[in-house]
Amino acid sequence: MANTFDIQPIGRFGGECEVVKRPKEIAWFSYDDKHEFHLDDRSLQWYYPPKLGADLSQGYDQFINHDDSKDEHLDSLLKTIMAHEEAEGKKIDAQVVTWRGMMTKIMSSPFEDRDGFEMNATFYQENHPWKQEQKLEQKRRQKPRRGQMSPDVMTFWGYKFETLSCLPRPWGEVTRDFIENRDKEIVSNKAQYCSVVRTGIGKTTLCLGGEVDAIWDSKPEQKGAPINWIELKTSIEIRDDRTMQNFERKLMKFWIQSFLLGVPKIIVGFRSQQGILTKLEEIPTAQIPETASKRGVRSWNANTCINFASGFLEWLRNTVNDEGVWRIKRQANSGVIEVFKVEEVGHGNILPDEFINWRIKLGLNSASG
């Protein structure tokens, strides 16, 4: 029998928001240009503004696209946590371990019901690791409107914008020729820098991993200090009420994604229907909820998102309270999130043996120490 958490009525999640702990980076890792894992920052990128008027479709036929249909589980995140714990000599202080993308789905649930989701979770040593089980948020293969590009090309535009906006090293170490010819670089989404942070929402402490697009200046020497990360996004230029409402809905996801990892600034590249970059706008993450409220946006509310996540996480920790594999499921347009057991024992393929053996070893070392 499934346990259910009611999303509606969302009014009960209104009011002052729950306590939130500032995300602090505790570790990081990279995927290289072959999408191979490395415990370092080799794929870190630096922001440098792109030229307006750039054609975001240029190079689409050469796009090196990572096949994300293969489930990569939590392996890279757990490997990074293991290395961090080995260096610190103790377990991380977190009750939930997952990807930023999973928490984005949860936090946006009160205002986003068009797509369902399914995740698997397991309980281990007071941690609740999650992974995405099935990608229900499929691209909508509708016929594009007249004059509109295909969904695949529009997805490419986002990666092209990142390529046009980033440098592999600080600008002082990069040639002018490279900076001015970024439009000729082959676009690939295989390389990524991923930040691992410790944060908290309400009574739940989380360890989240997620990709960071770029940095504004340089990382501070003090570990855990705020970092001037940049999130890069594209959106169609605002020309009327419909495109304004579309952008306001997008702002919720932009805000949640950056809020969860502690990214202080979002740079939006506005584009024409044909994919020509027409405008850049810098948006401080912390100002998005207030700006949305002043504009009279009714499609979402930041405090409701935070309070919903707080309530759901506390309920989930009380529900997933022993071993086995649990399914976290929301059907499209449903007003509830269901949680039920799909395997009675073990941890499925959520936790690799390497991680379980490491925790056993760490426990023995702590006991003998």
Side-chain angles (χ1 to χ4, degrees):
M1 182 178 173
N3 302 278
T4 58
F5 186 85
D6 291 329
I7 299 170
Q8 301 291 343
I10 62 171
R12 70 189 196 278
F13 302 110
E16 290 296 314
C17 78
E18 293 281 349
V19 174
V20 175
K21 294 176 184 172
R22 178 179 70 80
K24 294 183 180 181
E25 185 177 70
I26 61 171
W28 54 86
F29 67 90
S30 292
Y31 293 116
D32 64 18
D33 56 11
K34 295 180 181 177
H35 204 71
E36 293 178 352
F37 172 85
H38 300 274
L39 268 172
D40 57 34
D41 63 359
R42 69 182 64 194
S43 294
L44 181 63
Q45 298 190 102
W46 281 258
Y47 175 72
Y48 192 89
K51 291 179 183 176
L52 295 181
D55 182 357
L56 298 179
S57 298
Q58 182 183 349
Y60 174 67
D61 57 337
Q62 296 176 293
F63 180 35
I64 301 172
N65 190 16
H66 173 62
D67 178 11
D68 63 358
S69 62
K70 180 184 176 184
D71 195 340
E72 297 176 355
H73 308 303
L74 291 171
D75 292 8
S76 298
L77 178 55
L78 294 176
K79 283 180 186 176
T80 308
I81 289 172
M82 286 164 55
H84 174 74
E85 291 179 339
E86 186 171 15
E88 297 290 320
K90 60 182 180 181
K91 288 195 306 181
I92 59 167
D93 177 19
Q95 296 152 323
V96 171
V97 176
T98 191
W99 295 113
R100 182 255 311 266
M102 304 300 99
M103 272 307 302
T104 300
K105 293 177 188 296
I106 297 300
M107 280 191 71
S108 61
S109 287
F111 303 102
E112 179 59 74
D113 64 358
R114 289 177 298 176
D115 299 296
F117 56 76
E118 291 189 21
M119 313 172 196
N120 278 359
T122 192
F123 179 87
Y124 183 69
Q125 294 185 338
E126 298 181 4
N127 291 131
H128 298 71
W130 302 355
K131 75 176 185 69
Q132 187 165 357
E133 169 62 18
Q134 187 177 350
K135 296 184 177 178
L136 295 182
E137 197 173 2
Q138 301 289 347
K139 293 176 185 174
R140 295 167 184 263
R141 297 294 179 182
Q142 302 163 328
K143 288 184 178 179
R145 296 190 195 96
R146 182 177 296 177
Q148 190 178 57
M149 299 290 186
S150 75
D152 287 340
V153 172
M154 294 171 74
T155 297
F156 171 78
W157 287 347
Y159 294 120
K160 179 70 174 184
F161 180 61
E162 290 180 24
T163 301
L164 293 172
S165 304
C166 293
L167 303 174
R169 297 179 300 283
W171 71 268
E173 301 174 19
V174 180
T175 66
R176 174 56 56 182
D177 183 64
F178 180 90
I179 292 173
E180 293 181 352
N181 288 283
R182 285 175 291 171
D183 60 327
K184 297 180 178 65
E185 289 290 304
I186 293 176
V187 178
S188 170
N189 62 354
K190 287 181 178 284
Q192 298 174 15
Y193 173 93
C194 294
S195 182
V196 179
V197 305
R198 180 181 179 273
T199 185
I201 300 176
K203 297 177 182 178
T204 302
T205 304
L206 304 99
C207 177
L208 302 176
E211 181 186 4
V212 172
D213 292 329
I215 192 168
W216 183 269
D217 42 24
S218 61
K219 274 191 173 186
E221 291 185 9
Q222 182 183 352
K223 201 169 183 180
I227 304 172
N228 287 323
W229 295 127
I230 297 292
E231 183 80 16
L232 297 168
K233 297 292 186 182
T234 58
S235 187
I236 192 166
E237 54 194 352
I238 299 171
R239 290 181 172 271
D240 50 32
D241 288 345
R242 185 179 63 81
T243 50
M244 171 59 82
Q245 290 168 3
N246 176 62
F247 181 65
E248 288 171 347
R249 283 194 298 269
K250 277 189 169 186
L251 270 180
M252 178 181 71
K253 287 281 183 73
F254 292 178
W255 171 73
I256 292 174
Q257 290 171 345
S258 295
F259 168 84
L260 287 171
L261 282 192
V263 177
K265 187 180 292 186
I266 301 164
I267 295 179
V268 181
F270 288 95
R271 49 137 186 108
S272 68
Q273 278 195 328
Q274 290 71 41
I276 303 300
L277 187 63
T278 58
K279 178 186 174 183
L280 296 175
E281 184 173 346
E282 296 179 11
I283 305 176
T285 304
Q287 292 180 17
I288 290 177
E290 183 181 357
T291 301
S293 178
K294 284 181 178 177
R295 284 182 178 177
V297 174
R298 298 182 182 277
S299 56
W300 66 279
N301 175 273
N303 284 5
T304 300
C305 292
I306 291 170
N307 293 342
F308 175 84
S310 171
F312 176 77
L313 289 170
E314 190 173 351
W315 174 83
L316 184 71
R317 290 194 290 115
N318 289 325
T319 302
V320 180
N321 54 15
D322 62 2
E323 73 167 294
V325 177
W326 302 69
R327 181 72 46 83
I328 304 168
K329 179 178 180 179
R330 184 191 186 178
Q331 296 187 28
N333 304 310
S334 172
V336 299
I337 298 177
E338 301 172 83
V339 175
F340 51 92
K341 240 183 188 181
V342 291
E343 295 178 28
E344 288 296 326
V345 296
H347 306 287
N349 55 12
I350 301 175
L351 298 180
D353 290 341
E354 182 184 14
F355 181 79
I356 294 172
N357 292 337
W358 159 250
R359 279 294 181 87
I360 292 170
K361 178 182 175 183
L362 184 60
L364 292 173
N365 289 345
S366 298
S368 62

